Amino acid sequence: MIRLKWLSLLAILTLVFIGCGNEPPEEFYNGTPQDDTLINALLDANAEYLITDDLFLDTYSRIDSFVVSFPVADSYFKTESILVKQHLDSLREKIASSTRFKDLWYTKDTTCTVYLFDTFNIIQEVHYDRLYKGYYFWQGDTAKDLDTVIVEATPGYYSYDTITVEGLRHLYVEPVKERVWDEELQDSVWKIKEPREWVLKRISYGNYGLPNRSAGIPYIYYAIVTSKNTSKVDTIWASNTDTLYQHHAMNRFCAIDSLLDYDAGDTLTISLTLSGTITSDLCSFFAIQDGKKVQLIGGSGKIGITGSGVKNLVFVAIVNDGLCYVKPASQLLARFWLIPIRVN
């Protein structure tokens, strides 16, 4: 028994001596207050990459093909006999308030990823040109059927108050490096320049939901963007696992010098494809760029490119049911894609 104790002690001491000869693992770089100051100054100098409030326009945009229907399922959620819906001809979103949470994540290779969490409280305002009243009656003992629909030509306005939209985008920065002579290696090597400087290298696109955590938000699978001037076709995917940071996907970084690039005066043809249980016939679609908003009927349409420098191109998918009910309104569900583009 004593011999076993001595053998155990010897094994422990052996491991301790072996461990003492190993270098401790490299610690993750945590950044310094000076790094925070430099990166924040860098972001201030590149403010065009941080703009997100142009997801919403405070002007009414026309809707040309809004469909109001009365499926029997509507009756399952009503306690009274009449169901009232509104036929929209235009809508707008007003920002009531917004907050931004910015987080700097430093990593082992002395780089930093900036997280931009945006929360918008918006007022969705719609204008309707007709009201529809659907009357349901019991057919036998088990089901309700639609009896008649009365159309009232009573134009008016309606607001959905205090709707929260949340989303996230990332920016990737790294320290400037320079070649210096290494006496030990007798060769030049890349090292971080001192005093430290930071440069913006890559950016992710912005994906925003209304509400953010709902499983019922429309899922945009991909968007195809075609330039009239150059005939160039770009595809933007919802998800892409490309580790080389190539191509365009909402969940990946894109190099700053590889943004989608278009000329002012160009016209883009856009086609959005959804995936999941919410299909295109259940939604209204829009594209936003440089202060204008156009409808993409069935997910397809055109928008003219204006402005200069880095601008945002926004795609919107809104579930129609959330727009057409008169109080009590059903939950409003929407997806917003924000893609930075470079306009020449």
Side-chain angles (χ1 to χ4, degrees):
M1 183 70 177
I2 296 176
R3 184 180 180 185
L4 288 174
K5 288 183 178 179
W6 278 108
L7 287 175
S8 299
L9 180 60
L10 180 62
I12 293 172
L13 291 174
T14 302
L15 291 173
V16 170
F17 282 118
I18 293 175
C20 290
N22 294 334
E23 294 183 2
E26 182 181 353
E27 293 184 0
F28 280 86
Y29 184 72
N30 292 319
T32 67
Q34 177 66 12
D35 289 323
D36 291 352
T37 299
L38 291 173
I39 291 174
N40 282 314
L42 175 65
L43 298 178
D44 290 341
N46 292 273
E48 65 271 24
Y49 293 100
L50 280 67
I51 295 173
T52 55
D53 57 3
D54 55 356
L55 289 164
F56 317 103
L57 294 185
D58 191 12
T59 55
Y60 274 95
S61 302
R62 181 176 176 82
I63 299 180
D64 291 320
S65 60
F66 191 80
V67 177
V68 174
S69 62
F70 284 84
V72 172
D74 279 339
S75 63
Y76 303 153
F77 304 98
K78 298 292 290 181
T79 58
E80 66 272 19
S81 61
I82 302 174
L83 182 66
V84 182
K85 292 186 176 183
Q86 54 201 7
H87 180 272
L88 307 188
D89 57 19
S90 58
L91 79 167
R92 69 173 176 177
E93 298 88 20
K94 297 180 63 175
I95 299 177
S97 64
S98 63
T99 57
R100 166 169 287 176
F101 174 69
K102 180 171 58 179
D103 203 3
L104 307 183
W105 283 69
Y106 294 94
T107 55
K108 189 173 182 178
D109 60 353
T110 324
T111 59
C112 180
T113 300
V114 180
Y115 287 69
L116 293 181
F117 298 89
D118 284 316
T119 300
F120 298 94
N121 292 316
I122 67 168
I123 300 174
Q124 177 75 68
E125 297 185 337
V126 301
H127 182 268
Y128 57 88
D129 55 2
R130 297 186 298 279
L131 288 180
Y132 290 78
K133 292 184 178 181
Y135 292 82
Y136 289 90
F137 72 100
W138 287 103
Q139 178 68 34
D141 296 327
T142 59
K144 284 183 179 180
D145 286 343
L146 180 64
D147 187 7
T148 59
V149 173
I150 297 178
V151 179
E152 296 183 0
T154 54
Y157 294 88
Y158 184 80
S159 295
Y160 299 78
D161 296 331
T162 318
I163 300 173
T164 300
V165 180
E166 296 178 299
L168 170 67
R169 65 191 307 195
H170 306 84
L171 299 97
Y172 179 85
V173 300
E174 63 182 33
V176 175
K177 296 183 178 180
E178 60 181 354
R179 292 196 72 90
V180 298
W181 182 258
D182 188 298
E183 292 290 346
E184 183 178 347
L185 297 177
Q186 289 295 296
D187 195 4
S188 60
V189 296
W190 287 102
K191 287 191 175 182
I192 295 175
K193 182 180 178 181
E194 297 293 347
R196 187 162 297 164
E197 300 175 13
W198 292 86
V199 61
L200 179 60
K201 299 293 289 186
R202 295 193 292 271
I203 188 171
S204 74
Y205 301 155
N207 200 338
Y208 303 84
L210 189 173
N212 185 43
R213 296 172 182 85
S214 171
I217 297 176
Y219 184 83
I220 304 177
Y221 186 34
Y222 62 87
I224 297 177
V225 183
T226 305
S227 164
K228 178 182 178 181
N229 288 359
T230 65
S231 299
K232 178 180 67 169
V233 179
D234 294 299
T235 301
I236 306 168
W237 295 92
S239 180
N240 190 312
T241 57
D242 170 29
T243 58
L244 299 178
Y245 302 101
Q246 297 176 338
H247 311 298
H248 299 274
M250 301 304 295
N251 69 321
R252 301 298 298 169
F253 285 101
C254 179
I256 292 298
D257 57 1
S258 299
L259 297 181
L260 293 171
D261 189 281
Y262 303 105
D263 293 329
D266 197 357
T267 298
L268 304 182
T269 299
I270 298 171
S271 177
L272 304 181
T273 296
L274 299 185
S275 179
T277 58
I278 299 179
T279 54
S280 297
D281 60 302
L282 302 177
C283 299
S284 292
F285 302 90
F286 301 90
I288 303 171
Q289 198 274 323
D290 198 32
K292 58 186 176 296
K293 184 176 186 178
V294 300
Q295 186 179 7
L296 307 175
I297 297 178
S300 299
K302 301 178 185 294
I303 189 169
I305 297 299
T306 56
S308 62
V310 177
K311 297 287 185 178
N312 289 328
L313 177 62
V314 179
F315 303 137
V316 185
I318 305 178
V319 178
N320 288 337
D321 275 357
L323 291 172
C324 70
Y325 289 95
V326 174
K327 289 184 177 182
S330 65
Q331 185 179 36
L332 191 60
L333 303 171
R335 173 85 62 181
F336 300 82
W337 272 15
L338 185 150
I339 298 97
I341 63 175
R342 195 176 305 279
V343 181
N344 304 312

